[in-house]
Amino acid sequence: GQNIDQPTEMTATEGAIVQINCTYQTSGFNGLFWYQQHAGEAPTFLSYNVLDGLEEKGRFSSFLSRSKGYSYLLLKELQMKDSASYLCAVRVMDSNYQLIWGAGTKLIIKP
Amino acid sequence: DADVTQTPRNRITKTGKRIMLECSQTKGHDRMYWYRQDPGLGLRLIYYSFDVKDINKGEISDGYSVSRQAQAKFSLSLESAIPNQTALYFCATSDSGPGDQPQHFGDGTRLSIL
């Protein structure tokens, strides 16, 4: 079966760094996406990893280890506007390359 | 104007009613998707379409049907709504290019079935 695990909720302090983990067990891996979703709004694309290693985009970075079925999203210099849910999604070849989504991690930023 | 537009944004209806949710896009993407989102669960794929003549069932297609009227339009129907179809519904689009093409989402339709 297909399974993606993320922590349900995390809390961090404004200005700090936070790492959101995602582990997956899927039949056939073809890339991993991270999305941000503010409450009541649409998910928006943050990053994509298909090869092992770190991808950096400004304050956000995403890491992938395919052998461990593991990814993380690293957010630096946290701002209040980063309070949102962060969704991990894996593209699987066995499902016509569709995305399997984790339930998301709700990140709460405190002053 | 939004690139992916969903109508209506909110809908309350009764069990047994037929409902249509509409999605239109100006991004010129070939691929379109319908998802539902429930609290504590990940987005779940209902149907997807790679072009006007291509319709595919997703993980949870039972109780739903779709129509791809044009490249830019993809509608979702609930033939006879039931309360457990109460959810937030999202339409998404993506390009048919290389594997890193992300999906772009509409603002969602909040549907309540009483």
Side-chain angles (χ1 to χ4, degrees):
Chain A
Q2 321 278 24
N3 191 52
I4 298 179
D5 288 315
Q6 303 179 235
T8 302
E9 187 174 297
M10 300 180 69
T11 302
T13 304
E14 189 177 16
I17 299 173
V18 71
Q19 178 176 309
I20 301 173
N21 295 326
C22 171
T23 58
Y24 61 90
Q25 300 92 36
T26 59
S27 51
F29 174 87
N30 193 248
L32 186 144
F33 293 82
W34 283 97
Y35 281 76
Q36 180 190 60
Q37 185 179 24
H38 286 99
E41 297 183 8
T44 56
F45 170 69
L46 289 177
S47 69
Y48 171 76
N49 295 72
V50 67
L51 300 176
D52 291 352
L54 189 68
E55 295 282 341
E56 297 188 79
K57 273 188 180 181
R59 294 190 298 116
F60 292 7
S61 303
S62 57
F63 171 83
L64 175 67
S65 168
R66 288 172 296 170
S67 62
K68 295 182 179 178
Y70 168 70
S71 173
Y72 67 73
L73 181 69
L74 191 71
L75 291 72
K76 303 176 184 176
E77 301 170 12
L78 286 169
Q79 302 174 10
M80 297 303 292
K81 67 179 182 179
D82 297 330
S83 292
S85 289
Y86 291 86
L87 314 181
C88 171
V90 172
R91 178 157 43 214
V92 294
M93 292 183 285
D94 290 6
S95 298
N96 207 6
Y97 294 88
Q98 294 313 305
L99 296 180
I100 306 297
W101 295 79
T105 299
K106 182 178 180 180
L107 178 64
I108 300 168
I109 309 298
K110 296 186 175 180
Chain B
D1 288 340
D3 294 325
V4 184
T5 302
Q6 292 183 233
T7 56
R9 292 294 315 279
N10 294 280
R11 178 80 184 270
I12 302 173
T13 192
K14 294 181 179 179
T15 298
K17 294 291 188 180
R18 184 179 188 273
I19 302 158
M20 180 180 287
L21 308 183
E22 299 190 358
C23 178
S24 63
Q25 54 116 346
T26 59
K27 299 188 77 67
H29 289 167
D30 290 325
R31 301 181 176 189
M32 298 187 74
Y33 311 82
W34 276 105
Y35 290 95
R36 65 176 281 175
Q37 188 174 41
D38 298 274
L41 298 178
L43 288 163
R44 291 184 291 168
L45 185 62
I46 305 172
Y47 271 96
Y48 61 102
S49 169
F50 283 173
D51 64 43
V52 175
K53 296 181 180 180
D54 177 80
I55 301 289
N56 302 280
K57 292 183 177 180
E59 178 188 355
I60 53 162
S61 59
D62 288 349
Y64 302 94
S65 62
V66 290
S67 174
R68 184 83 184 264
Q69 300 96 323
Q71 188 207 32
K73 295 182 182 294
F74 192 37
S75 60
L76 175 72
S77 294
L78 288 69
E79 296 301 325
S80 179
I82 55 177
N84 75 2
Q85 291 177 313
T86 293
L88 182 57
Y89 289 83
F90 285 105
C91 173
T93 74
S94 70
D95 204 350
S96 55
D100 63 346
Q101 298 301 313
Q103 294 183 9
H104 301 264
F105 287 79
D107 288 335
T109 295
R110 190 168 295 279
L111 180 61
S112 296
I113 314 295
L114 305 178

Coordinates of all heavy atoms in Angstrom, one line a residue, chain B residues 23-100:
Chain B
C23 N -15.1 24.0 -12.6 CA -13.7 24.5 -12.5 C -13.3 25.0 -13.9 O -13.5 24.3 -14.9 CB -12.8 23.4 -12.1 SG -11.0 23.8 -12.1
S24 N -12.7 26.1 -14.0 CA -12.2 26.6 -15.2 C -10.8 27.2 -15.0 O -10.5 27.7 -13.9 CB -13.1 27.7 -15.8 OG -13.1 28.8 -15.0
Q25 N -9.9 27.1 -16.0 CA -8.5 27.6 -15.9 C -8.1 28.4 -17.1 O -8.5 28.1 -18.2 CB -7.6 26.4 -15.6 CG -7.8 25.3 -16.7 CD -6.5 25.0 -17.5 OE1 -5.6 25.8 -17.5 NE2 -6.5 23.9 -18.2
T26 N -7.2 29.3 -16.8 CA -6.6 30.1 -17.9 C -5.1 29.9 -18.0 O -4.4 30.7 -18.6 CB -6.9 31.6 -17.6 OG1 -6.3 32.0 -16.3 CG2 -8.3 32.0 -17.6
K27 N -4.6 28.8 -17.4 CA -3.2 28.5 -17.4 C -2.8 27.8 -18.7 O -1.6 27.6 -19.0 CB -2.8 27.7 -16.2 CG -3.1 28.4 -14.9 CD -2.6 27.7 -13.7 CE -1.1 27.8 -13.5 NZ -0.6 29.2 -13.2
G28 N -3.8 27.3 -19.5 CA -3.4 26.5 -20.7 C -2.9 25.1 -20.4 O -2.3 24.5 -21.3
H29 N -3.1 24.6 -19.2 CA -2.7 23.3 -18.9 C -3.6 22.2 -19.5 O -4.8 22.4 -19.5 CB -2.6 23.1 -17.4 CG -1.5 23.9 -16.7 ND1 -1.4 24.1 -15.4 CD2 -0.4 24.5 -17.3 CE1 -0.4 24.8 -15.1 NE2 0.3 25.1 -16.3
D30 N -3.0 21.1 -19.8 CA -3.8 20.0 -20.4 C -4.4 19.1 -19.2 O -5.5 18.6 -19.4 CB -2.9 19.0 -21.2 CG -2.4 19.7 -22.5 OD1 -3.2 20.4 -23.1 OD2 -1.3 19.4 -22.9
R31 N -3.7 19.1 -18.1 CA -4.2 18.1 -17.1 C -5.0 18.8 -16.0 O -4.6 19.9 -15.5 CB -2.9 17.5 -16.4 CG -2.1 16.7 -17.5 CD -0.9 16.0 -16.9 NE -0.2 15.2 -18.0 CZ 0.7 14.4 -17.8 NH1 1.2 14.2 -16.5 NH2 1.3 13.8 -18.8
M32 N -6.1 18.2 -15.6 CA -6.9 18.7 -14.6 C -7.3 17.6 -13.6 O -7.4 16.5 -14.0 CB -8.2 19.4 -15.2 CG -7.8 20.6 -16.1 SD -9.2 21.6 -16.7 CE -9.7 22.5 -15.2
Y33 N -7.6 18.0 -12.3 CA -7.8 17.1 -11.3 C -8.9 17.6 -10.3 O -9.1 18.8 -10.2 CB -6.5 16.9 -10.4 CG -5.3 16.7 -11.2 CD1 -4.6 17.8 -11.8 CD2 -4.7 15.4 -11.3 CE1 -3.4 17.6 -12.5 CE2 -3.5 15.2 -12.0 CZ -2.9 16.3 -12.6 OH -1.7 16.1 -13.3
W34 N -9.6 16.6 -9.7 CA -10.5 17.0 -8.6 C -10.1 16.2 -7.4 O -9.9 14.9 -7.5 CB -12.0 16.6 -9.0 CG -12.7 17.7 -9.7 CD1 -13.0 17.7 -11.1 CD2 -13.2 18.9 -9.2 NE1 -13.6 18.8 -11.4 CE2 -13.8 19.6 -10.3 CE3 -13.2 19.5 -7.9 CZ2 -14.4 20.8 -10.1 CZ3 -13.8 20.7 -7.8 CH2 -14.4 21.4 -8.9
Y35 N -10.0 16.9 -6.3 CA -9.6 16.3 -5.0 C -10.7 16.7 -4.0 O -11.4 17.7 -4.1 CB -8.3 16.9 -4.4 CG -7.1 16.5 -5.2 CD1 -6.5 17.3 -6.1 CD2 -6.4 15.3 -4.8 CE1 -5.3 17.0 -6.8 CE2 -5.2 15.0 -5.4 CZ -4.7 15.8 -6.4 OH -3.5 15.5 -7.0
R36 N -10.8 15.9 -2.9 CA -11.5 16.3 -1.7 C -10.5 16.3 -0.5 O -9.6 15.5 -0.5 CB -12.7 15.4 -1.4 CG -12.5 14.0 -1.1 CD -13.8 13.3 -0.7 NE -14.2 13.6 0.6 CZ -15.4 13.1 1.1 NH1 -16.2 12.4 0.4 NH2 -15.8 13.4 2.4
Q37 N -10.8 17.2 0.4 CA -9.9 17.3 1.6 C -10.8 17.2 2.8 O -11.8 18.0 2.9 CB -9.1 18.6 1.6 CG -8.1 18.7 2.7 CD -7.2 19.9 2.6 OE1 -7.7 21.0 2.3 NE2 -5.9 19.8 2.8
D38 N -10.5 16.3 3.7 CA -11.2 16.1 5.0 C -10.3 16.3 6.1 O -9.1 16.0 6.0 CB -11.8 14.7 5.0 CG -12.8 14.5 3.9 OD1 -14.0 14.8 4.1 OD2 -12.4 13.9 2.9
P39 N -10.8 16.9 7.2 CA -9.9 17.1 8.4 C -9.1 15.8 8.8 O -9.7 14.8 8.9 CB -10.9 17.5 9.5 CG -12.0 18.1 8.7 CD -12.1 17.3 7.5
G40 N -7.8 16.0 9.0 CA -7.0 14.9 9.4 C -6.6 13.9 8.3 O -5.9 12.9 8.6
L41 N -7.1 14.1 7.1 CA -6.7 13.3 6.0 C -6.0 14.1 4.9 O -6.2 15.3 4.8 CB -8.0 12.6 5.4 CG -8.8 11.7 6.3 CD1 -10.0 11.2 5.5 CD2 -8.0 10.6 6.8
G42 N -5.2 13.4 4.2 CA -4.5 14.0 3.0 C -5.5 14.3 1.9 O -6.6 13.7 1.9
L43 N -5.2 15.1 1.0 CA -6.0 15.3 -0.2 C -6.2 13.9 -0.9 O -5.2 13.1 -1.0 CB -5.3 16.2 -1.2 CG -5.2 17.7 -0.8 CD1 -4.2 18.4 -1.6 CD2 -6.6 18.3 -1.0
R44 N -7.4 13.6 -1.3 CA -7.7 12.4 -2.0 C -8.2 12.7 -3.4 O -9.1 13.5 -3.6 CB -8.7 11.5 -1.2 CG -8.1 11.0 0.1 CD -9.0 10.1 0.8 NE -10.2 10.9 1.4 CZ -11.3 10.3 1.8 NH1 -11.4 9.0 1.8 NH2 -12.3 11.0 2.3
L45 N -7.6 11.9 -4.4 CA -8.0 12.2 -5.8 C -9.3 11.5 -6.1 O -9.5 10.3 -5.9 CB -6.8 11.6 -6.6 CG -6.9 11.9 -8.1 CD1 -6.9 13.4 -8.4 CD2 -5.7 11.2 -8.8
I46 N -10.2 12.3 -6.8 CA -11.5 11.7 -7.1 C -11.4 11.3 -8.6 O -11.7 10.2 -9.0 CB -12.6 12.8 -6.9 CG1 -12.6 13.3 -5.5 CG2 -13.9 12.2 -7.3 CD1 -13.5 14.5 -5.2
Y47 N -11.1 12.2 -9.5 CA -10.9 12.0 -10.9 C -9.8 12.9 -11.5 O -9.6 13.9 -10.9 CB -12.2 12.3 -11.7 CG -13.2 11.2 -11.8 CD1 -14.3 11.1 -10.9 CD2 -13.2 10.3 -12.8 CE1 -15.2 10.1 -11.0 CE2 -14.1 9.3 -12.9 CZ -15.2 9.2 -12.0 OH -16.1 8.2 -12.1
Y48 N -9.3 12.5 -12.6 CA -8.3 13.3 -13.3 C -8.4 13.1 -14.8 O -8.9 12.1 -15.3 CB -6.9 13.1 -12.8 CG -6.3 11.7 -13.0 CD1 -5.4 11.4 -14.0 CD2 -6.7 10.6 -12.1 CE1 -4.9 10.2 -14.2 CE2 -6.1 9.4 -12.3 CZ -5.2 9.1 -13.3 OH -4.7 7.9 -13.5
S49 N -7.9 14.1 -15.5 CA -8.1 14.1 -17.0 C -6.8 14.7 -17.6 O -6.3 15.8 -17.2 CB -9.3 15.0 -17.4 OG -9.3 15.3 -18.7
F50 N -6.2 13.9 -18.5 CA -4.9 14.4 -19.1 C -5.2 15.2 -20.4 O -4.3 15.9 -20.8 CB -4.1 13.2 -19.5 CG -3.3 12.6 -18.3 CD1 -2.6 11.4 -18.4 CD2 -3.4 13.2 -17.0 CE1 -1.9 10.9 -17.3 CE2 -2.7 12.7 -15.9 CZ -2.0 11.5 -16.1
D51 N -6.4 15.1 -21.0 CA -6.8 16.0 -22.0 C -8.3 15.8 -22.2 O -8.9 15.0 -21.5 CB -6.0 15.7 -23.3 CG -6.3 14.3 -23.9 OD1 -7.4 13.9 -24.0 OD2 -5.3 13.7 -24.4
V52 N -8.9 16.5 -23.2 CA -10.3 16.5 -23.3 C -10.9 15.1 -23.5 O -12.0 14.9 -23.0 CB -10.7 17.4 -24.5 CG1 -12.2 17.4 -24.7 CG2 -10.3 18.9 -24.2
K53 N -10.3 14.2 -24.1 CA -10.8 12.9 -24.4 C -10.4 11.9 -23.4 O -10.6 10.7 -23.6 CB -10.5 12.5 -25.8 CG -11.1 13.4 -26.9 CD -10.8 12.9 -28.3 CE -11.4 13.8 -29.3 NZ -11.0 13.3 -30.7
D54 N -9.7 12.3 -22.3 CA -9.2 11.4 -21.4 C -9.7 11.6 -20.0 O -9.5 12.7 -19.4 CB -7.6 11.5 -21.4 CG -7.0 10.6 -20.3 OD1 -6.8 9.4 -20.6 OD2 -6.6 11.1 -19.2
I55 N -10.4 10.6 -19.4 CA -10.9 10.7 -18.0 C -10.5 9.5 -17.3 O -10.6 8.4 -17.8 CB -12.5 10.8 -18.0 CG1 -13.0 12.0 -18.8 CG2 -13.0 10.8 -16.6 CD1 -12.7 13.3 -18.2
N56 N -10.0 9.7 -16.0 CA -9.5 8.5 -15.3 C -10.1 8.6 -13.8 O -10.1 9.7 -13.3 CB -8.0 8.6 -15.2 CG -7.3 8.5 -16.5 OD1 -7.2 7.5 -17.1 ND2 -6.9 9.7 -17.0
K57 N -10.4 7.5 -13.3 CA -10.9 7.4 -11.9 C -9.7 7.5 -11.0 O -8.6 7.0 -11.2 CB -11.6 6.1 -11.6 CG -12.9 6.0 -12.3 CD -13.6 4.7 -12.0 CE -15.0 4.6 -12.6 NZ -15.6 3.3 -12.3
G58 N -9.9 8.2 -9.9 CA -8.9 8.3 -8.8 C -9.2 7.3 -7.7 O -9.9 6.4 -7.9
E59 N -8.6 7.7 -6.6 CA -8.7 6.8 -5.4 C -10.2 6.6 -4.9 O -10.6 5.5 -4.4 CB -7.9 7.4 -4.3 CG -7.9 6.6 -3.0 CD -7.1 7.4 -1.9 OE1 -6.5 8.5 -2.2 OE2 -7.2 7.0 -0.7
I60 N -11.0 7.7 -5.0 CA -12.3 7.6 -4.4 C -13.4 8.1 -5.4 O -14.1 9.1 -5.1 CB -12.4 8.5 -3.1 CG1 -11.8 9.9 -3.4 CG2 -11.5 7.8 -2.0 CD1 -12.2 10.9 -2.3
S61 N -13.6 7.5 -6.5 CA -14.5 8.0 -7.5 C -16.0 7.6 -7.3 O -16.8 8.2 -7.9 CB -14.0 7.5 -8.9 OG -14.0 6.1 -8.9
D62 N -16.2 6.6 -6.5 CA -17.6 6.2 -6.3 C -18.5 7.3 -5.8 O -18.2 8.0 -4.8 CB -17.7 5.0 -5.2 CG -17.1 3.7 -5.8 OD1 -16.9 3.7 -7.1 OD2 -16.9 2.8 -5.0
G63 N -19.6 7.5 -6.4 CA -20.6 8.5 -6.0 C -20.3 9.8 -6.7 O -21.1 10.8 -6.5
Y64 N -19.3 9.9 -7.6 CA -18.9 11.1 -8.3 C -18.9 10.8 -9.8 O -18.6 9.7 -10.2 CB -17.6 11.6 -7.9 CG -17.5 12.0 -6.4 CD1 -17.0 11.0 -5.5 CD2 -17.8 13.2 -5.9 CE1 -16.8 11.4 -4.2 CE2 -17.7 13.6 -4.6 CZ -17.2 12.6 -3.7 OH -17.1 12.9 -2.4
S65 N -19.1 11.8 -10.6 CA -18.8 11.8 -12.0 C -18.2 13.1 -12.5 O -18.3 14.1 -11.8 CB -20.1 11.4 -12.8 OG -21.0 12.5 -12.7
V66 N -17.5 13.1 -13.7 CA -16.9 14.3 -14.2 C -17.2 14.5 -15.6 O -17.6 13.5 -16.3 CB -15.4 14.3 -13.9 CG1 -15.0 14.4 -12.5 CG2 -14.8 13.1 -14.6
S67 N -17.0 15.7 -16.1 CA -17.1 16.0 -17.5 C -16.0 17.0 -17.9 O -15.8 18.0 -17.2 CB -18.5 16.6 -17.8 OG -18.5 17.1 -19.1
R68 N -15.3 16.7 -18.9 CA -14.2 17.7 -19.4 C -14.8 18.3 -20.7 O -14.7 17.8 -21.8 CB -12.9 16.9 -19.7 CG -11.8 17.8 -20.1 CD -11.1 18.4 -18.9 NE -10.1 19.3 -19.3 CZ -8.8 19.0 -19.4 NH1 -8.3 17.8 -19.2 NH2 -7.9 20.0 -19.7
Q69 N -15.4 19.4 -20.5 CA -16.1 20.1 -21.6 C -15.2 20.7 -22.6 O -15.6 20.9 -23.8 CB -17.1 21.1 -21.0 CG -18.2 20.6 -20.1 CD -17.7 20.8 -18.6 OE1 -16.6 20.6 -18.3 NE2 -18.7 21.1 -17.8
A70 N -14.0 21.1 -22.2 CA -13.1 21.8 -23.0 C -11.7 21.7 -22.3 O -11.7 21.3 -21.1 CB -13.5 23.3 -23.2
Q71 N -10.7 22.1 -22.9 CA -9.4 22.1 -22.3 C -9.4 22.8 -21.0 O -8.8 22.4 -20.0 CB -8.3 22.6 -23.2 CG -6.9 22.4 -22.6 CD -5.9 23.4 -23.0 OE1 -6.2 24.6 -23.3 NE2 -4.6 23.1 -23.1
A72 N -10.2 23.9 -21.0 CA -10.1 24.8 -19.8 C -11.2 24.5 -18.8 O -11.2 25.1 -17.7 CB -10.3 26.3 -20.3
K73 N -12.1 23.5 -19.0 CA -13.2 23.3 -18.1 C -13.3 21.9 -17.7 O -13.4 21.0 -18.5 CB -14.5 23.8 -18.7 CG -14.6 25.3 -19.0 CD -15.9 25.7 -19.6 CE -16.0 27.2 -19.9 NZ -15.9 28.0 -18.7
F74 N -13.5 21.7 -16.4 CA -13.6 20.3 -15.8 C -14.6 20.4 -14.7 O -14.3 21.0 -13.7 CB -12.2 19.9 -15.3 CG -12.1 18.4 -15.0 CD1 -12.7 17.4 -15.7 CD2 -11.2 18.0 -14.0 CE1 -12.5 16.1 -15.4 CE2 -11.0 16.7 -13.7 CZ -11.7 15.7 -14.4
S75 N -15.7 19.7 -14.8 CA -16.8 19.8 -13.8 C -16.9 18.5 -13.0 O -16.7 17.4 -13.6 CB -18.1 20.2 -14.4 OG -18.5 19.3 -15.3
L76 N -17.3 18.6 -11.8 CA -17.5 17.4 -10.9 C -19.0 17.4 -10.5 O -19.5 18.4 -10.1 CB -16.6 17.5 -9.7 CG -16.8 16.4 -8.6 CD1 -16.2 15.1 -9.1 CD2 -16.1 16.9 -7.3
S77 N -19.6 16.2 -10.6 CA -21.0 16.1 -10.2 C -21.2 15.0 -9.1 O -20.5 14.0 -9.1 CB -21.9 15.7 -11.4 OG -21.9 16.7 -12.4
L78 N -22.1 15.3 -8.2 CA -22.5 14.4 -7.2 C -24.0 14.1 -7.6 O -24.8 14.9 -7.5 CB -22.5 14.9 -5.8 CG -21.1 15.2 -5.2 CD1 -20.3 16.3 -5.9 CD2 -21.3 15.4 -3.7
E79 N -24.2 12.8 -8.1 CA -25.5 12.5 -8.7 C -26.6 12.5 -7.6 O -27.7 13.0 -7.8 CB -25.5 11.2 -9.4 CG -24.5 11.2 -10.6 CD -24.9 12.2 -11.6 OE1 -26.1 12.4 -11.8 OE2 -24.0 12.7 -12.3
S80 N -26.3 12.0 -6.4 CA -27.3 12.0 -5.3 C -26.5 12.1 -4.1 O -25.9 11.2 -3.5 CB -28.0 10.6 -5.3 OG -28.9 10.6 -4.3
A81 N -26.4 13.4 -3.6 CA -25.5 13.7 -2.5 C -25.8 13.0 -1.2 O -27.0 12.8 -0.9 CB -25.5 15.2 -2.3
I82 N -24.8 12.6 -0.5 CA -25.0 12.0 0.8 C -24.1 12.8 1.9 O -23.1 13.4 1.5 CB -24.7 10.5 0.8 CG1 -23.2 10.3 0.3 CG2 -25.7 9.7 0.0 CD1 -22.8 8.8 0.4
P83 N -24.5 12.7 3.1 CA -23.8 13.6 4.1 C -22.2 13.3 4.2 O -21.5 14.2 4.4 CB -24.4 13.2 5.5 CG -25.9 12.9 5.0 CD -25.7 12.2 3.7
N84 N -21.8 12.1 3.9 CA -20.3 11.8 4.0 C -19.6 12.4 2.8 O -18.3 12.2 2.8 CB -20.0 10.4 4.3 CG -20.1 9.5 3.1 OD1 -20.5 9.9 2.0 ND2 -19.9 8.2 3.3
Q85 N -20.3 13.0 1.9 CA -19.6 13.8 0.9 C -19.4 15.2 1.3 O -18.9 16.0 0.5 CB -20.4 13.7 -0.4 CG -20.4 12.3 -1.0 CD -21.2 12.2 -2.3 OE1 -22.3 12.6 -2.3 NE2 -20.6 11.5 -3.3
T86 N -19.7 15.6 2.5 CA -19.4 16.9 3.0 C -17.9 17.0 3.1 O -17.3 16.2 3.8 CB -20.1 17.1 4.4 OG1 -21.5 17.2 4.2 CG2 -19.6 18.4 5.1
A87 N -17.3 18.0 2.5 CA -15.9 18.2 2.4 C -15.5 19.5 1.7 O -16.4 20.2 1.2 CB -15.2 17.0 1.7
L88 N -14.2 19.7 1.7 CA -13.6 20.8 0.9 C -13.1 20.2 -0.4 O -12.3 19.3 -0.4 CB -12.5 21.5 1.7 CG -11.8 22.7 1.1 CD1 -12.8 23.8 0.7 CD2 -10.8 23.2 2.0
Y89 N -13.6 20.7 -1.5 CA -13.2 20.2 -2.8 C -12.3 21.1 -3.6 O -12.6 22.3 -3.6 CB -14.5 19.9 -3.7 CG -15.3 18.7 -3.1 CD1 -16.2 18.9 -2.1 CD2 -15.1 17.5 -3.7 CE1 -16.9 17.8 -1.6 CE2 -15.9 16.4 -3.2 CZ -16.8 16.6 -2.2 OH -17.5 15.5 -1.7
F90 N -11.2 20.6 -4.1 CA -10.3 21.4 -4.8 C -10.2 20.9 -6.3 O -10.1 19.7 -6.5 CB -8.9 21.3 -4.2 CG -8.8 22.1 -3.0 CD1 -8.7 21.5 -1.7 CD2 -8.7 23.5 -3.0 CE1 -8.6 22.3 -0.6 CE2 -8.5 24.3 -1.9 CZ -8.5 23.7 -0.7
C91 N -10.1 21.8 -7.2 CA -9.7 21.5 -8.6 C -8.3 21.9 -8.7 O -7.8 22.9 -8.1 CB -10.6 22.3 -9.5 SG -10.1 22.3 -11.2
A92 N -7.5 21.2 -9.5 CA -6.1 21.5 -9.8 C -5.8 21.3 -11.2 O -6.4 20.5 -11.9 CB -5.2 20.7 -8.9
T93 N -4.7 22.0 -11.7 CA -4.2 21.8 -13.0 C -2.7 21.6 -13.0 O -2.0 22.0 -12.1 CB -4.5 23.0 -13.9 OG1 -3.7 24.1 -13.6 CG2 -6.0 23.5 -13.8
S94 N -2.2 20.9 -14.1 CA -0.8 20.9 -14.2 C -0.4 20.8 -15.7 O -1.2 20.4 -16.5 CB -0.2 19.7 -13.5 OG -0.5 18.5 -14.1
D95 N 0.8 21.2 -16.0 CA 1.3 21.1 -17.4 C 1.7 19.6 -17.6 O 1.9 18.9 -16.7 CB 2.5 22.0 -17.5 CG 2.7 22.4 -19.0 OD1 2.1 21.9 -19.9 OD2 3.5 23.3 -19.2
S96 N 1.8 19.3 -18.9 CA 2.2 17.9 -19.2 C 3.7 17.8 -19.6 O 4.1 17.0 -20.3 CB 1.4 17.4 -20.4 OG 1.5 18.3 -21.5
G97 N 4.5 18.7 -19.0 CA 5.9 18.7 -19.3 C 6.7 17.7 -18.4 O 6.2 16.7 -18.0
P98 N 8.0 18.0 -18.1 CA 8.8 17.1 -17.3 C 8.2 16.9 -16.0 O 7.3 17.5 -15.5 CB 10.1 17.9 -17.2 CG 10.1 18.9 -18.4 CD 8.7 19.2 -18.6
G99 N 8.8 15.9 -15.3 CA 8.3 15.4 -14.0 C 8.1 16.4 -12.9 O 7.4 16.1 -12.0
D100 N 8.8 17.5 -13.0 CA 8.7 18.4 -11.9 C 7.6 19.4 -12.0 O 7.6 20.4 -11.3 CB 10.1 19.2 -11.7 CG 10.4 20.0 -12.9 OD1 9.7 19.9 -14.0 OD2 11.3 20.9 -12.8

